Amino acid sequence: MRIGELSKNTGFQVETLRFYEKQGLISPVGRTESGYREYDQESLKQLHFIQQAKSVGFSLNEISELLTLRVERDQHSCSEVKTIAEQKLVQIESKINELNKMRDALHKITDACCGGPEPATSCTILNALDNV
Amino acid sequence: MRIGELSKNTGFQVETLRFYEKQGLISPVGRTESGYREYDQESLKQLHFIQQAKSVGFSLNEISELLTLRVERDQHSCSEVKTIAEQKLVQIESKINELNKMRDALHKITDACCGGPEPATSCTILNALDNV
DNA sequence: CTTGACCCTATAGTAGACTTTAGGGTTTAT
DNA sequence: ATAAACCCTAAAGTCTACTATAGGGTCAAG
């Protein structure tokens, strides 16, 4: 399968696939005489893996690490994999907490504002942002 | 007050202050003969405003917009301000939702993993990321 | 045998929010 | 008077994850 077909089968754009190759995430099985990349089912599987990993919040660097573990499964322990996953979980949760705090703070000052057509001369939102 | 003192009083790095000036967020009251920026209490207030706005999730572009409203309070209505705040609230909430989904998905596959010292040959996390 | 779809490389650009570098004046304390 | 600390500008670099551009081969169909 050439890159265009791989693109259709995975939803990743052709440029993205070449970019992922440069990042070391995937690589073609070989090249045709004319230099075209050739891919097989394994590439397809790897890209599905990448899609899934992205969807649960892993960065490309982290995915690269996970792909290594995936390929070298027998040389690595479950705990190694779980540790990475748990770290990501902590990161996601701390982002959620941060955003929750933002939402609450913003909610509070937004609720206090009348939102009416009158000039914002003493707008509670602007005032709230003023007073530290 | 020169830029170094403003930096100390606000916690923003000197380079960041100059960067903010380039972005149109702040500007010195004037310059000394030798070209040094000079700031007053208003700069301090603006930077506190910026800090607060950042802390509730506004981007620099949005803060720039808010600063304009802040300065031209009488020419703008409360509803203008509130609209911006509410839009941001919606954005923050949708980010939270997205992260919640990620957390749940990751939680599910992480919980299923034993996390033990055995090889990751049939690690449930790696498998989960494999199977779309 | 030519046209269009497809492929290649290398390099640059995008967004956001800064940080770093290079090169060079000014002020202040000793 | 000199060294440290501080200030200036312009331009380039950082990070993430791509996207776009320029310029140029290859393959299948008509």
PDB file of all heavy atoms in Angstrom, chain C residues 9-23:
ATOM      1  P    DT C   9      11.063  11.371   0.352  1.00  0.00           P
ATOM      2  OP1  DT C   9      11.978  10.410   0.996  1.00  0.00           O
ATOM      3  OP2  DT C   9       9.795  11.758   1.010  1.00  0.00           O
ATOM      4  O5'  DT C   9      11.861  12.721   0.040  1.00  0.00           O
ATOM      5  C5'  DT C   9      12.993  12.702  -0.826  1.00  0.00           C
ATOM      6  C4'  DT C   9      13.541  14.108  -0.958  1.00  0.00           C
ATOM      7  O4'  DT C   9      12.557  14.933  -1.634  1.00  0.00           O
ATOM      8  C3'  DT C   9      13.797  14.757   0.391  1.00  0.00           C
ATOM      9  O3'  DT C   9      15.177  15.074   0.534  1.00  0.00           O
ATOM     10  C2'  DT C   9      12.959  16.024   0.414  1.00  0.00           C
ATOM     11  C1'  DT C   9      12.461  16.190  -1.005  1.00  0.00           C
ATOM     12  N1   DT C   9      11.029  16.583  -1.061  1.00  0.00           N
ATOM     13  C2   DT C   9      10.685  17.821  -1.560  1.00  0.00           C
ATOM     14  O2   DT C   9      11.498  18.631  -1.959  1.00  0.00           O
ATOM     15  N3   DT C   9       9.341  18.082  -1.569  1.00  0.00           N
ATOM     16  C4   DT C   9       8.324  17.253  -1.145  1.00  0.00           C
ATOM     17  O4   DT C   9       7.152  17.610  -1.207  1.00  0.00           O
ATOM     18  C5   DT C   9       8.762  15.976  -0.614  1.00  0.00           C
ATOM     19  C7   DT C   9       7.737  15.010  -0.115  1.00  0.00           C
ATOM     20  C6   DT C   9      10.063  15.701  -0.603  1.00  0.00           C
ATOM     21  P    DA C  10      15.730  15.534   1.962  1.00  0.00           P
ATOM     22  OP1  DA C  10      17.143  15.116   2.041  1.00  0.00           O
ATOM     23  OP2  DA C  10      14.778  15.107   3.004  1.00  0.00           O
ATOM     24  O5'  DA C  10      15.653  17.115   1.831  1.00  0.00           O
ATOM     25  C5'  DA C  10      15.934  17.751   0.585  1.00  0.00           C
ATOM     26  C4'  DA C  10      15.629  19.230   0.714  1.00  0.00           C
ATOM     27  O4'  DA C  10      14.235  19.456   0.433  1.00  0.00           O
ATOM     28  C3'  DA C  10      15.887  19.777   2.117  1.00  0.00           C
ATOM     29  O3'  DA C  10      16.550  21.035   2.014  1.00  0.00           O
ATOM     30  C2'  DA C  10      14.502  19.922   2.727  1.00  0.00           C
ATOM     31  C1'  DA C  10      13.648  20.204   1.483  1.00  0.00           C
ATOM     32  N9   DA C  10      12.255  19.751   1.631  1.00  0.00           N
ATOM     33  C8   DA C  10      11.806  18.590   2.185  1.00  0.00           C
ATOM     34  N7   DA C  10      10.496  18.464   2.178  1.00  0.00           N
ATOM     35  C5   DA C  10      10.059  19.635   1.571  1.00  0.00           C
ATOM     36  C6   DA C  10       8.773  20.116   1.260  1.00  0.00           C
ATOM     37  N6   DA C  10       7.643  19.451   1.522  1.00  0.00           N
ATOM     38  N1   DA C  10       8.680  21.321   0.652  1.00  0.00           N
ATOM     39  C2   DA C  10       9.809  21.992   0.387  1.00  0.00           C
ATOM     40  N3   DA C  10      11.078  21.645   0.626  1.00  0.00           N
ATOM     41  C4   DA C  10      11.131  20.433   1.227  1.00  0.00           C
ATOM     42  P    DT C  11      17.032  21.790   3.357  1.00  0.00           P
ATOM     43  OP1  DT C  11      18.343  22.398   3.064  1.00  0.00           O
ATOM     44  OP2  DT C  11      16.848  20.902   4.526  1.00  0.00           O
ATOM     45  O5'  DT C  11      15.945  22.961   3.410  1.00  0.00           O
ATOM     46  C5'  DT C  11      15.528  23.593   2.195  1.00  0.00           C
ATOM     47  C4'  DT C  11      14.357  24.498   2.474  1.00  0.00           C
ATOM     48  O4'  DT C  11      13.129  23.734   2.492  1.00  0.00           O
ATOM     49  C3'  DT C  11      14.444  25.225   3.816  1.00  0.00           C
ATOM     50  O3'  DT C  11      14.249  26.615   3.588  1.00  0.00           O
ATOM     51  C2'  DT C  11      13.320  24.592   4.636  1.00  0.00           C
ATOM     52  C1'  DT C  11      12.328  24.218   3.549  1.00  0.00           C
ATOM     53  N1   DT C  11      11.354  23.163   3.899  1.00  0.00           N
ATOM     54  C2   DT C  11      10.020  23.377   3.603  1.00  0.00           C
ATOM     55  O2   DT C  11       9.614  24.390   3.053  1.00  0.00           O
ATOM     56  N3   DT C  11       9.169  22.359   3.953  1.00  0.00           N
ATOM     57  C4   DT C  11       9.504  21.178   4.577  1.00  0.00           C
ATOM     58  O4   DT C  11       8.645  20.353   4.839  1.00  0.00           O
ATOM     59  C5   DT C  11      10.908  21.010   4.872  1.00  0.00           C
ATOM     60  C7   DT C  11      11.381  19.757   5.546  1.00  0.00           C
ATOM     61  C6   DT C  11      11.760  21.996   4.516  1.00  0.00           C
ATOM     62  P    DA C  12      14.387  27.684   4.799  1.00  0.00           P
ATOM     63  OP1  DA C  12      15.284  28.749   4.313  1.00  0.00           O
ATOM     64  OP2  DA C  12      14.677  26.981   6.059  1.00  0.00           O
ATOM     65  O5'  DA C  12      12.906  28.265   4.863  1.00  0.00           O
ATOM     66  C5'  DA C  12      12.153  28.418   3.657  1.00  0.00           C
ATOM     67  C4'  DA C  12      10.697  28.652   4.002  1.00  0.00           C
ATOM     68  O4'  DA C  12      10.042  27.392   4.287  1.00  0.00           O
ATOM     69  C3'  DA C  12      10.508  29.522   5.246  1.00  0.00           C
ATOM     70  O3'  DA C  12       9.468  30.442   4.957  1.00  0.00           O
ATOM     71  C2'  DA C  12      10.110  28.529   6.319  1.00  0.00           C
ATOM     72  C1'  DA C  12       9.316  27.513   5.501  1.00  0.00           C
ATOM     73  N9   DA C  12       9.200  26.183   6.093  1.00  0.00           N
ATOM     74  C8   DA C  12      10.192  25.402   6.616  1.00  0.00           C
ATOM     75  N7   DA C  12       9.766  24.239   7.077  1.00  0.00           N
ATOM     76  C5   DA C  12       8.401  24.275   6.836  1.00  0.00           C
ATOM     77  C6   DA C  12       7.371  23.344   7.093  1.00  0.00           C
ATOM     78  N6   DA C  12       7.567  22.156   7.660  1.00  0.00           N
ATOM     79  N1   DA C  12       6.114  23.688   6.732  1.00  0.00           N
ATOM     80  C2   DA C  12       5.920  24.886   6.156  1.00  0.00           C
ATOM     81  N3   DA C  12       6.804  25.841   5.868  1.00  0.00           N
ATOM     82  C4   DA C  12       8.042  25.467   6.235  1.00  0.00           C
ATOM     83  P    DG C  13       9.145  31.641   5.945  1.00  0.00           P
ATOM     84  OP1  DG C  13       9.135  32.911   5.181  1.00  0.00           O
ATOM     85  OP2  DG C  13       9.969  31.505   7.165  1.00  0.00           O
ATOM     86  O5'  DG C  13       7.636  31.294   6.329  1.00  0.00           O
ATOM     87  C5'  DG C  13       6.713  30.869   5.316  1.00  0.00           C
ATOM     88  C4'  DG C  13       5.436  30.419   5.989  1.00  0.00           C
ATOM     89  O4'  DG C  13       5.587  29.052   6.453  1.00  0.00           O
ATOM     90  C3'  DG C  13       5.072  31.249   7.215  1.00  0.00           C
ATOM     91  O3'  DG C  13       3.692  31.555   7.161  1.00  0.00           O
ATOM     92  C2'  DG C  13       5.404  30.340   8.387  1.00  0.00           C
ATOM     93  C1'  DG C  13       5.152  28.964   7.800  1.00  0.00           C
ATOM     94  N9   DG C  13       5.896  27.882   8.441  1.00  0.00           N
ATOM     95  C8   DG C  13       7.251  27.803   8.650  1.00  0.00           C
ATOM     96  N7   DG C  13       7.614  26.694   9.249  1.00  0.00           N
ATOM     97  C5   DG C  13       6.422  25.998   9.438  1.00  0.00           C
ATOM     98  C6   DG C  13       6.174  24.737  10.031  1.00  0.00           C
ATOM     99  O6   DG C  13       6.988  23.949  10.520  1.00  0.00           O
ATOM    100  N1   DG C  13       4.821  24.420  10.020  1.00  0.00           N
ATOM    101  C2   DG C  13       3.827  25.208   9.498  1.00  0.00           C
ATOM    102  N2   DG C  13       2.575  24.737   9.579  1.00  0.00           N
ATOM    103  N3   DG C  13       4.041  26.390   8.941  1.00  0.00           N
ATOM    104  C4   DG C  13       5.358  26.726   8.944  1.00  0.00           C
ATOM    105  P    DT C  14       3.058  32.593   8.193  1.00  0.00           P
ATOM    106  OP1  DT C  14       2.047  33.401   7.485  1.00  0.00           O
ATOM    107  OP2  DT C  14       4.119  33.247   8.978  1.00  0.00           O
ATOM    108  O5'  DT C  14       2.299  31.584   9.147  1.00  0.00           O
ATOM    109  C5'  DT C  14       1.367  30.648   8.607  1.00  0.00           C
ATOM    110  C4'  DT C  14       0.613  30.034   9.766  1.00  0.00           C
ATOM    111  O4'  DT C  14       1.337  28.859  10.178  1.00  0.00           O
ATOM    112  C3'  DT C  14       0.507  30.947  10.980  1.00  0.00           C
ATOM    113  O3'  DT C  14      -0.856  31.200  11.277  1.00  0.00           O
ATOM    114  C2'  DT C  14       1.220  30.204  12.093  1.00  0.00           C
ATOM    115  C1'  DT C  14       1.316  28.780  11.593  1.00  0.00           C
ATOM    116  N1   DT C  14       2.535  28.052  11.970  1.00  0.00           N
ATOM    117  C2   DT C  14       2.405  26.797  12.527  1.00  0.00           C
ATOM    118  O2   DT C  14       1.330  26.276  12.737  1.00  0.00           O
ATOM    119  N3   DT C  14       3.583  26.175  12.836  1.00  0.00           N
ATOM    120  C4   DT C  14       4.852  26.670  12.656  1.00  0.00           C
ATOM    121  O4   DT C  14       5.830  26.018  12.977  1.00  0.00           O
ATOM    122  C5   DT C  14       4.929  27.994  12.061  1.00  0.00           C
ATOM    123  C7   DT C  14       6.260  28.608  11.821  1.00  0.00           C
ATOM    124  C6   DT C  14       3.779  28.611  11.748  1.00  0.00           C
ATOM    125  P    DA C  15      -1.215  32.531  12.166  1.00  0.00           P
ATOM    126  OP1  DA C  15      -2.450  33.094  11.579  1.00  0.00           O
ATOM    127  OP2  DA C  15      -0.025  33.383  12.338  1.00  0.00           O
ATOM    128  O5'  DA C  15      -1.587  31.910  13.571  1.00  0.00           O
ATOM    129  C5'  DA C  15      -2.292  30.671  13.640  1.00  0.00           C
ATOM    130  C4'  DA C  15      -2.288  30.225  15.070  1.00  0.00           C
ATOM    131  O4'  DA C  15      -1.163  29.343  15.267  1.00  0.00           O
ATOM    132  C3'  DA C  15      -2.141  31.374  16.068  1.00  0.00           C
ATOM    133  O3'  DA C  15      -3.059  31.197  17.131  1.00  0.00           O
ATOM    134  C2'  DA C  15      -0.708  31.276  16.536  1.00  0.00           C
ATOM    135  C1'  DA C  15      -0.402  29.782  16.374  1.00  0.00           C
ATOM    136  N9   DA C  15       0.981  29.469  16.077  1.00  0.00           N
ATOM    137  C8   DA C  15       1.895  30.238  15.421  1.00  0.00           C
ATOM    138  N7   DA C  15       3.076  29.674  15.307  1.00  0.00           N
ATOM    139  C5   DA C  15       2.914  28.450  15.935  1.00  0.00           C
ATOM    140  C6   DA C  15       3.781  27.375  16.166  1.00  0.00           C
ATOM    141  N6   DA C  15       5.045  27.365  15.766  1.00  0.00           N
ATOM    142  N1   DA C  15       3.304  26.309  16.826  1.00  0.00           N
ATOM    143  C2   DA C  15       2.033  26.325  17.232  1.00  0.00           C
ATOM    144  N3   DA C  15       1.115  27.259  17.078  1.00  0.00           N
ATOM    145  C4   DA C  15       1.625  28.312  16.415  1.00  0.00           C
ATOM    146  P    DG C  16      -3.388  32.515  18.055  1.00  0.00           P
ATOM    147  OP1  DG C  16      -4.823  32.463  18.410  1.00  0.00           O
ATOM    148  OP2  DG C  16      -2.807  33.721  17.437  1.00  0.00           O
ATOM    149  O5'  DG C  16      -2.558  32.193  19.366  1.00  0.00           O
ATOM    150  C5'  DG C  16      -2.701  30.932  19.987  1.00  0.00           C
ATOM    151  C4'  DG C  16      -1.787  30.881  21.181  1.00  0.00           C
ATOM    152  O4'  DG C  16      -0.485  30.410  20.764  1.00  0.00           O
ATOM    153  C3'  DG C  16      -1.556  32.238  21.850  1.00  0.00           C
ATOM    154  O3'  DG C  16      -1.672  32.046  23.243  1.00  0.00           O
ATOM    155  C2'  DG C  16      -0.146  32.623  21.437  1.00  0.00           C
ATOM    156  C1'  DG C  16       0.520  31.260  21.259  1.00  0.00           C
ATOM    157  N9   DG C  16       1.598  31.195  20.296  1.00  0.00           N
ATOM    158  C8   DG C  16       1.832  31.999  19.213  1.00  0.00           C
ATOM    159  N7   DG C  16       2.889  31.659  18.528  1.00  0.00           N
ATOM    160  C5   DG C  16       3.387  30.562  19.201  1.00  0.00           C
ATOM    161  C6   DG C  16       4.511  29.750  18.946  1.00  0.00           C
ATOM    162  O6   DG C  16       5.332  29.844  18.035  1.00  0.00           O
ATOM    163  N1   DG C  16       4.644  28.729  19.873  1.00  0.00           N
ATOM    164  C2   DG C  16       3.813  28.509  20.928  1.00  0.00           C
ATOM    165  N2   DG C  16       4.096  27.490  21.721  1.00  0.00           N
ATOM    166  N3   DG C  16       2.761  29.259  21.188  1.00  0.00           N
ATOM    167  C4   DG C  16       2.602  30.258  20.286  1.00  0.00           C
ATOM    168  P    DA C  17      -1.807  33.312  24.212  1.00  0.00           P
ATOM    169  OP1  DA C  17      -2.781  32.945  25.262  1.00  0.00           O
ATOM    170  OP2  DA C  17      -1.988  34.553  23.425  1.00  0.00           O
ATOM    171  O5'  DA C  17      -0.354  33.335  24.869  1.00  0.00           O
ATOM    172  C5'  DA C  17       0.082  32.193  25.599  1.00  0.00           C
ATOM    173  C4'  DA C  17       1.551  32.333  25.905  1.00  0.00           C
ATOM    174  O4'  DA C  17       2.311  32.061  24.711  1.00  0.00           O
ATOM    175  C3'  DA C  17       1.978  33.746  26.367  1.00  0.00           C
ATOM    176  O3'  DA C  17       2.868  33.623  27.461  1.00  0.00           O
ATOM    177  C2'  DA C  17       2.685  34.293  25.144  1.00  0.00           C
ATOM    178  C1'  DA C  17       3.333  33.015  24.652  1.00  0.00           C
ATOM    179  N9   DA C  17       3.892  33.079  23.305  1.00  0.00           N
ATOM    180  C8   DA C  17       3.573  33.932  22.280  1.00  0.00           C
ATOM    181  N7   DA C  17       4.296  33.773  21.195  1.00  0.00           N
ATOM    182  C5   DA C  17       5.146  32.734  21.526  1.00  0.00           C
ATOM    183  C6   DA C  17       6.168  32.084  20.814  1.00  0.00           C
ATOM    184  N6   DA C  17       6.516  32.406  19.573  1.00  0.00           N
ATOM    185  N1   DA C  17       6.836  31.078  21.423  1.00  0.00           N
ATOM    186  C2   DA C  17       6.486  30.755  22.683  1.00  0.00           C
ATOM    187  N3   DA C  17       5.545  31.292  23.460  1.00  0.00           N
ATOM    188  C4   DA C  17       4.908  32.289  22.818  1.00  0.00           C
ATOM    189  P    DC C  18       2.952  34.756  28.591  1.00  0.00           P
ATOM    190  OP1  DC C  18       3.331  34.050  29.789  1.00  0.00           O
ATOM    191  OP2  DC C  18       1.705  35.529  28.519  1.00  0.00           O
ATOM    192  O5'  DC C  18       4.143  35.711  28.334  1.00  0.00           O
ATOM    193  C5'  DC C  18       5.065  35.650  27.247  1.00  0.00           C
ATOM    194  C4'  DC C  18       5.919  34.426  27.256  1.00  0.00           C
ATOM    195  O4'  DC C  18       5.955  33.952  25.897  1.00  0.00           O
ATOM    196  C3'  DC C  18       7.340  34.630  27.711  1.00  0.00           C
ATOM    197  O3'  DC C  18       7.771  33.693  28.664  1.00  0.00           O
ATOM    198  C2'  DC C  18       8.183  34.535  26.462  1.00  0.00           C
ATOM    199  C1'  DC C  18       7.305  33.751  25.495  1.00  0.00           C
ATOM    200  N1   DC C  18       7.440  34.272  24.119  1.00  0.00           N
ATOM    201  C2   DC C  18       8.298  33.611  23.241  1.00  0.00           C
ATOM    202  O2   DC C  18       8.893  32.603  23.623  1.00  0.00           O
ATOM    203  N3   DC C  18       8.477  34.129  21.992  1.00  0.00           N
ATOM    204  C4   DC C  18       7.817  35.218  21.621  1.00  0.00           C
ATOM    205  N4   DC C  18       8.026  35.675  20.387  1.00  0.00           N
ATOM    206  C5   DC C  18       6.911  35.891  22.504  1.00  0.00           C
ATOM    207  C6   DC C  18       6.752  35.387  23.746  1.00  0.00           C
ATOM    208  P    DT C  19       9.114  33.980  29.499  1.00  0.00           P
ATOM    209  OP1  DT C  19       9.098  33.120  30.695  1.00  0.00           O
ATOM    210  OP2  DT C  19       9.280  35.447  29.617  1.00  0.00           O
ATOM    211  O5'  DT C  19      10.278  33.463  28.526  1.00  0.00           O
ATOM    212  C5'  DT C  19      10.410  32.069  28.243  1.00  0.00           C
ATOM    213  C4'  DT C  19      11.706  31.859  27.459  1.00  0.00           C
ATOM    214  O4'  DT C  19      11.603  32.448  26.146  1.00  0.00           O
ATOM    215  C3'  DT C  19      12.957  32.468  28.107  1.00  0.00           C
ATOM    216  O3'  DT C  19      13.963  31.458  28.035  1.00  0.00           O
ATOM    217  C2'  DT C  19      13.276  33.681  27.236  1.00  0.00           C
ATOM    218  C1'  DT C  19      12.733  33.247  25.882  1.00  0.00           C
ATOM    219  N1   DT C  19      12.275  34.334  24.971  1.00  0.00           N
ATOM    220  C2   DT C  19      12.770  34.367  23.698  1.00  0.00           C
ATOM    221  O2   DT C  19      13.601  33.589  23.287  1.00  0.00           O
ATOM    222  N3   DT C  19      12.240  35.369  22.911  1.00  0.00           N
ATOM    223  C4   DT C  19      11.301  36.299  23.264  1.00  0.00           C
ATOM    224  O4   DT C  19      10.902  37.125  22.463  1.00  0.00           O
ATOM    225  C5   DT C  19      10.826  36.204  24.641  1.00  0.00           C
ATOM    226  C7   DT C  19       9.823  37.189  25.126  1.00  0.00           C
ATOM    227  C6   DT C  19      11.325  35.240  25.411  1.00  0.00           C
ATOM    228  P    DT C  20      15.391  31.712  28.609  1.00  0.00           P
ATOM    229  OP1  DT C  20      15.896  30.449  29.174  1.00  0.00           O
ATOM    230  OP2  DT C  20      15.365  32.944  29.435  1.00  0.00           O
ATOM    231  O5'  DT C  20      16.231  32.026  27.279  1.00  0.00           O
ATOM    232  C5'  DT C  20      15.987  31.266  26.112  1.00  0.00           C
ATOM    233  C4'  DT C  20      16.957  31.695  25.015  1.00  0.00           C
ATOM    234  O4'  DT C  20      16.366  32.759  24.228  1.00  0.00           O
ATOM    235  C3'  DT C  20      18.310  32.216  25.522  1.00  0.00           C
ATOM    236  O3'  DT C  20      19.313  31.575  24.755  1.00  0.00           O
ATOM    237  C2'  DT C  20      18.235  33.712  25.266  1.00  0.00           C
ATOM    238  C1'  DT C  20      17.309  33.789  24.055  1.00  0.00           C
ATOM    239  N1   DT C  20      16.501  35.032  23.912  1.00  0.00           N
ATOM    240  C2   DT C  20      16.453  35.660  22.684  1.00  0.00           C
ATOM    241  O2   DT C  20      17.062  35.269  21.712  1.00  0.00           O
ATOM    242  N3   DT C  20      15.648  36.769  22.638  1.00  0.00           N
ATOM    243  C4   DT C  20      14.912  37.297  23.673  1.00  0.00           C
ATOM    244  O4   DT C  20      14.225  38.291  23.495  1.00  0.00           O
ATOM    245  C5   DT C  20      15.016  36.606  24.934  1.00  0.00           C
ATOM    246  C7   DT C  20      14.253  37.110  26.115  1.00  0.00           C
ATOM    247  C6   DT C  20      15.795  35.508  24.995  1.00  0.00           C
ATOM    248  P    DT C  21      20.841  31.825  25.069  1.00  0.00           P
ATOM    249  OP1  DT C  21      21.552  30.543  24.894  1.00  0.00           O
ATOM    250  OP2  DT C  21      20.954  32.590  26.324  1.00  0.00           O
ATOM    251  O5'  DT C  21      21.234  32.780  23.852  1.00  0.00           O
ATOM    252  C5'  DT C  21      20.692  32.520  22.554  1.00  0.00           C
ATOM    253  C4'  DT C  21      21.190  33.577  21.597  1.00  0.00           C
ATOM    254  O4'  DT C  21      20.259  34.673  21.549  1.00  0.00           O
ATOM    255  C3'  DT C  21      22.554  34.163  21.969  1.00  0.00           C
ATOM    256  O3'  DT C  21      23.380  34.142  20.811  1.00  0.00           O
ATOM    257  C2'  DT C  21      22.235  35.580  22.418  1.00  0.00           C
ATOM    258  C1'  DT C  21      20.976  35.891  21.615  1.00  0.00           C
ATOM    259  N1   DT C  21      20.043  36.890  22.210  1.00  0.00           N
ATOM    260  C2   DT C  21      19.468  37.830  21.380  1.00  0.00           C
ATOM    261  O2   DT C  21      19.701  37.900  20.190  1.00  0.00           O
ATOM    262  N3   DT C  21      18.602  38.690  22.005  1.00  0.00           N
ATOM    263  C4   DT C  21      18.273  38.712  23.337  1.00  0.00           C
ATOM    264  O4   DT C  21      17.479  39.538  23.760  1.00  0.00           O
ATOM    265  C5   DT C  21      18.908  37.700  24.152  1.00  0.00           C
ATOM    266  C7   DT C  21      18.611  37.650  25.612  1.00  0.00           C
ATOM    267  C6   DT C  21      19.753  36.845  23.557  1.00  0.00           C
ATOM    268  P    DA C  22      24.924  34.517  20.925  1.00  0.00           P
ATOM    269  OP1  DA C  22      25.638  33.546  20.061  1.00  0.00           O
ATOM    270  OP2  DA C  22      25.311  34.691  22.337  1.00  0.00           O
ATOM    271  O5'  DA C  22      24.941  35.935  20.205  1.00  0.00           O
ATOM    272  C5'  DA C  22      24.159  36.138  19.016  1.00  0.00           C
ATOM    273  C4'  DA C  22      24.332  37.578  18.591  1.00  0.00           C
ATOM    274  O4'  DA C  22      23.303  38.386  19.198  1.00  0.00           O
ATOM    275  C3'  DA C  22      25.666  38.176  19.025  1.00  0.00           C
ATOM    276  O3'  DA C  22      26.167  38.980  17.971  1.00  0.00           O
ATOM    277  C2'  DA C  22      25.314  38.995  20.249  1.00  0.00           C
ATOM    278  C1'  DA C  22      23.905  39.469  19.891  1.00  0.00           C
ATOM    279  N9   DA C  22      23.055  39.777  21.034  1.00  0.00           N
ATOM    280  C8   DA C  22      23.064  39.203  22.276  1.00  0.00           C
ATOM    281  N7   DA C  22      22.166  39.694  23.097  1.00  0.00           N
ATOM    282  C5   DA C  22      21.527  40.660  22.340  1.00  0.00           C
ATOM    283  C6   DA C  22      20.477  41.548  22.635  1.00  0.00           C
ATOM    284  N6   DA C  22      19.861  41.590  23.807  1.00  0.00           N
ATOM    285  N1   DA C  22      20.070  42.384  21.650  1.00  0.00           N
ATOM    286  C2   DA C  22      20.696  42.335  20.471  1.00  0.00           C
ATOM    287  N3   DA C  22      21.693  41.550  20.080  1.00  0.00           N
ATOM    288  C4   DA C  22      22.060  40.721  21.075  1.00  0.00           C
ATOM    289  P    DG C  23      27.680  39.510  18.038  1.00  0.00           P
ATOM    290  OP1  DG C  23      28.245  39.298  16.705  1.00  0.00           O
ATOM    291  OP2  DG C  23      28.317  38.958  19.259  1.00  0.00           O
ATOM    292  O5'  DG C  23      27.465  41.071  18.248  1.00  0.00           O
ATOM    293  C5'  DG C  23      26.448  41.751  17.532  1.00  0.00           C
ATOM    294  C4'  DG C  23      26.198  43.076  18.191  1.00  0.00           C
ATOM    295  O4'  DG C  23      25.201  42.933  19.233  1.00  0.00           O
ATOM    296  C3'  DG C  23      27.452  43.657  18.878  1.00  0.00           C
ATOM    297  O3'  DG C  23      27.658  44.989  18.453  1.00  0.00           O
ATOM    298  C2'  DG C  23      27.132  43.548  20.352  1.00  0.00           C
ATOM    299  C1'  DG C  23      25.609  43.719  20.324  1.00  0.00           C
ATOM    300  N9   DG C  23      24.934  43.302  21.541  1.00  0.00           N
ATOM    301  C8   DG C  23      25.288  42.302  22.425  1.00  0.00           C
ATOM    302  N7   DG C  23      24.495  42.220  23.461  1.00  0.00           N
ATOM    303  C5   DG C  23      23.561  43.224  23.252  1.00  0.00           C
ATOM    304  C6   DG C  23      22.453  43.635  24.036  1.00  0.00           C
ATOM    305  O6   DG C  23      22.051  43.169  25.103  1.00  0.00           O
ATOM    306  N1   DG C  23      21.770  44.702  23.456  1.00  0.00           N
ATOM    307  C2   DG C  23      22.112  45.301  22.275  1.00  0.00           C
ATOM    308  N2   DG C  23      21.353  46.314  21.879  1.00  0.00           N
ATOM    309  N3   DG C  23      23.150  44.941  21.528  1.00  0.00           N
ATOM    310  C4   DG C  23      23.821  43.903  22.080  1.00  0.00           C
TER     311       DG C  23
END
